[in-house]
Every structure is written in structure tokens, then in C-alpha cells.
Amino acid sequence: MSRSSIAPYVPALAAEHGGEAVRRVEATLVFADVSGYTRLSERLAELGRDGAEVVTRVVNRCFSALIDVIHRHGGDVVRFGGDALFVVFTGDEHPRRAVVASALMQRAIAGLPSVDVPGGRVRLRMSIGAHTGELVTMQWNGGGREVLPVGAAVSETLACEAAAASGEVRVSRTLQRRLPSSWVRDARVVRNVVTRARADETLARRRPSSAAALPAMVAPALREVLAARSEPEHRAITLGFVAIGGLDAAAESDRRL
């Protein structure tokens, strides 16, 4: 497969990782968790395959709108976690760009129409947490090369999101100190922050990637699907999650993790 066809599936942060096992970079991290998908899926499951098609359209429309905002402000979607996005902003003015992008993401999801489902209508909502600091990434080689964000900065970002209410962007104290005082009130980004930041043109510049994406950074199963240009299909599956502890301490004490 060509590099250009693989590039959309490889985060710039991963492509720039090179051969380093562990990498540290100053960044602003954003974790955005969309709520409403569980209720939406459960209600539409009553419609069978037609319901699954509706879920697919809603998911694509929602994440396309969010990712467009992220890319326009130089962000990099590093991981998907179910119906959540983990985003990294680096480069010039990354704290400001991350906060403005977060506010615009809230505006984008609020602008999406509600969805008709059996028994009523469902509207998607989102809570966002953001923090700035040293991001530690470790490279894992399995079926394909992956870059995993770990460390205290990731945990702080997740804690901010957990404290945020639906429709809010909540920031850490560290990030708040990097922002104009008028942008944040009680650890929450004010709703008119986009208007306040509009005069700064640097906030809309996209950070170019300095490295080309490599096919080796995409799992073999996904490479096969992309090469075959397969049509989407719906399957019943069972998912499991594994929690691994101690990564924050390991990231601080051992550069090899």
C-alpha cells in the first residue's frame, strides 16, 4: 500500500516517534468523552441491521466534525477509546490552540441534530478535560507498531475530564496558568473563549507532520482491509478491557519503561 493511503490511519505523533522506545515531549493533552452512544445503540438495536446503519452514520458524522476541528488547530488524534478521543497538541501556542479547539468541538457536537430512536429522540453530549505538561510515549511492537501515551500528564487529563460536566471543558491548574485569565473561570473554560481568541491567527494554523507514516505502523488486519477496500460489515462481538497499573511511576523513574 502507498504511504498516502496509510497516512490518515497513523497519528503524526506516532510517525514522528522514529526508533525511540520512549519519547518525551511538551504538549497539551485533551480527552473528550461523548455521551449518548450507549443509549442510542441500545434503542436502535431493536431495528436490527437498519439500526446499525443509523448508528454508523451518526458516529461518522459526529467524529468527522470533531476531527475536522482538531486538525484545523494542529491537534493529533492519538487514540480512540470507544466513544472518546485522546488528542495531543504540540508546537507553538499549543495550550491556547488546544483550549480553542476544545471549545469549538463542544460547539460542533451541540450543532448536531438529535436522532430518532424507538421511544423518543437521543442527543449526543460531550465532556472534555485538558492538561499541559510532559507527555511520555512508549513504542510497542506487536502486529504493528503502536505508540502509547502514558505518565502523570495522561492521568491528570483523564481526571479533568471525569470532573467535567456534560458540555464543559475543564482544565488543570497547570494549564490554566498558561492561559489568559479571562479564558477560564473555576477551572472551566468560558463559553465565549472562541470570540476572545479569534484575533490570534496562530491558533488556526495546522502543525505539519515532519515524518511520513509507515505501513508498519498499521496493524496487518487493518492493512488488509484497506488494501482490499472492503465494504463495512456489522458483527456481534464481545469486548474486554484490561487495566494496567503503575505506568505513571514507571514513566517517571525508568526511561525504558
Side-chain angles (χ1 to χ4, degrees), residues 42-65:
E42 289 173 348
R43 295 283 187 88
L44 289 174
E46 300 176 22
L47 303 179
R49 179 173 289 273
D50 289 342
E53 294 291 346
V54 173
V55 171
T56 300
R57 288 197 299 271
V58 172
V59 169
N60 287 342
R61 180 170 55 194
C62 174
F63 280 100
S64 293

Side-chain angles (χ1 to χ4, degrees), residues 3 15 18 21 32 42-43 47 73 83 85 92 102 120 124-125 145 162 176 178 183 201 212 225 228 233 257:
R3 291 174 184 267
E42 289 173 348
R43 295 283 187 88
L47 303 179
H73 290 79
D83 49 11
L85 293 168
D92 295 340
S102 296
L124 300 179
R125 294 285 188 264
R145 273 199 347 247
Q176 183 171 347
R178 300 281 299 274
W183 286 24
E201 296 181 355
V225 171
E233 58 180 283
L257 296 182

Side-chain angles (χ1 to χ4, degrees), residues 14 26 41 74 84 136 163 165 232:
E26 286 297 316
S41 300
V136 182

Side-chain angles (χ1 to χ4, degrees), residues 145-162:
R145 273 199 347 247
E146 287 195 57
V147 171
L148 306 177
V150 297
V154 174
S155 296
E156 182 66 25
T157 306
L158 299 181
C160 288
E161 186 281 320

Side-chain angles (χ1 to χ4, degrees), residues 66-150:
L66 298 180
I67 292 171
D68 178 64
V69 171
I70 292 165
H71 284 175
R72 282 191 287 110
H73 290 79
D76 189 21
V77 181
V78 177
R79 308 292 295 182
F80 287 90
D83 49 11
L85 293 168
F86 185 79
V87 187
V88 173
F89 293 80
T90 59
D92 295 340
E93 298 285 357
H94 59 80
R96 295 190 180 207
R97 286 189 286 111
V99 167
V100 171
S102 296
L104 288 172
M105 288 165 65
Q106 289 288 19
R107 183 180 294 184
I109 201 168
L112 295 176
S114 57
V115 183
D116 281 313
V117 298
R121 299 180 69 84
V122 173
R123 180 174 289 279
L124 300 179
R125 294 285 188 264
M126 183 168 58
S127 55
I128 297 178
H131 170 67
T132 195
E134 183 183 64
L135 171 65
V136 182
T137 56
M138 59 180 291
Q139 190 164 251
W140 176 76
N141 292 297
R145 273 199 347 247
E146 287 195 57
V147 171
L148 306 177
V150 297

